[in-house]
Amino acid sequence: MKKKEEKSSIIEICPVRNVISRFGNKWAFLVILILNENKVIRFNELCRQIPDVSSRVLSGTLRMLEADGLISRKIYPVVPPKVEYRLTEVGLSLVPFIIQLTEWAQTNMKRIVTHRKQFESNAGME
Amino acid sequence: MKKKEEKSSIIEICPVRNVISRFGNKWAFLVILILNENKVIRFNELCRQIPDVSSRVLSGTLRMLEADGLISRKIYPVVPPKVEYRLTEVGLSLVPFIIQLTEWAQTNMKRIVTHRKQFESNAGME
DNA sequence: CGGCATCCAGCCGGATACTG
DNA sequence: CAGTATCCGGCTGGATGCCG
């Protein structure tokens, strides 16, 4: 019990990391971006838009984002079930920064990939 | 050999993720931020500034950032060894976005943490 | 001082199968 | 349709120890 919360660390001191670390999640950024483009989306549709995520992990990602209040989940009590996801205001407020980050990534990607290859070449010799 | 690069996925299609995913690394953001504040810093000093990172992982993080060309590593051939790290221009160009992200995190942190607790309370009952 | 090598625990995330 | 349950392999990252 009590995983490691007692390890008071910089993560407590600097709770920013606490929040940011959620994006270590492989798909969180992508989900937010897709939700931003679609406004509202159902689970399986989201599944299809991210071909290589398993429903289990996607489900977990959505839960996490929902727990943080970045997305909302609306359940229609019908058969077959229908669930809609959409960004909350907080989630929406994050979007611009993610987009800026992806734009930065696009701008610098080539350079980075190139540098990465050079670096790998130099590694081991010299 | 060949870890899983053959799994052509959305990560190839969308190379942005390729770049962004580096920040899934637990400490990358923090290292960049500290480097931004210190301009130049030595390994052990960096170690001390992030108390709960092991030297092994910090070393790995630094290598990764160096491979991507975000930081540079300058070795002085003296004893005892002296190595300095600093941001490159590319690394520097990323700083504003990280800062914006951390500012967003600071602004919304309380709300998120609160929401997280409410969410956990509601989970399990109903 | 600045690492890398080894070992190892825990978590992340994929595949598959099953349920309301 | 929208998940959850289980299993499990692989990666992450901490601790320790050694080396130039």
Side-chain angles (χ1 to χ4, degrees), chain B residues 11-70:
Chain B
I11 295 180
E12 271 193 76
I13 299 164
C14 165
V16 170
R17 262 208 56 78
N18 195 332
V19 172
I20 299 263
S21 66
R22 309 295 256 204
F23 307 122
N25 181 294
K26 220 172 171 184
W27 310 106
F29 272 173
L30 202 47
V31 167
I32 293 176
L33 249 23
I34 292 179
L35 252 62
N36 183 53
E37 281 165 21
N38 289 268
K39 303 309 171 199
V40 53
I41 195 168
R42 297 177 62 178
F43 185 84
N44 274 357
E45 172 61 16
L46 195 50
C47 243
R48 254 168 280 127
Q49 295 227 19
I50 316 181
D52 48 352
V53 70
S54 63
S55 76
R56 181 186 158 286
V57 172
L58 180 58
S59 173
T61 302
L62 289 168
R63 278 230 176 268
M64 195 194 63
L65 293 173
E66 190 195 355
D68 283 10
L70 302 186

Side-chain angles (χ1 to χ4, degrees), chain A residues 1 19 26 29 36 48 64 84 90 96 98 121 126:
Chain A
M1 327 304 147
V19 173
K26 221 173 171 183
F29 271 173
N36 183 54
R48 253 169 278 126
M64 196 193 62
E84 286 179 350
V90 179
I98 298 184
S121 308
E126 199 147 338

Side-chain angles (χ1 to χ4, degrees), chain B residues 93-109:
Chain B
S93 75
L94 176 59
V95 168
F97 304 114
I98 298 185
I99 290 181
Q100 284 186 348
L101 215 53
T102 60
E103 278 170 1
W104 177 89
Q106 265 169 339
T107 305
N108 295 278
M109 195 186 55

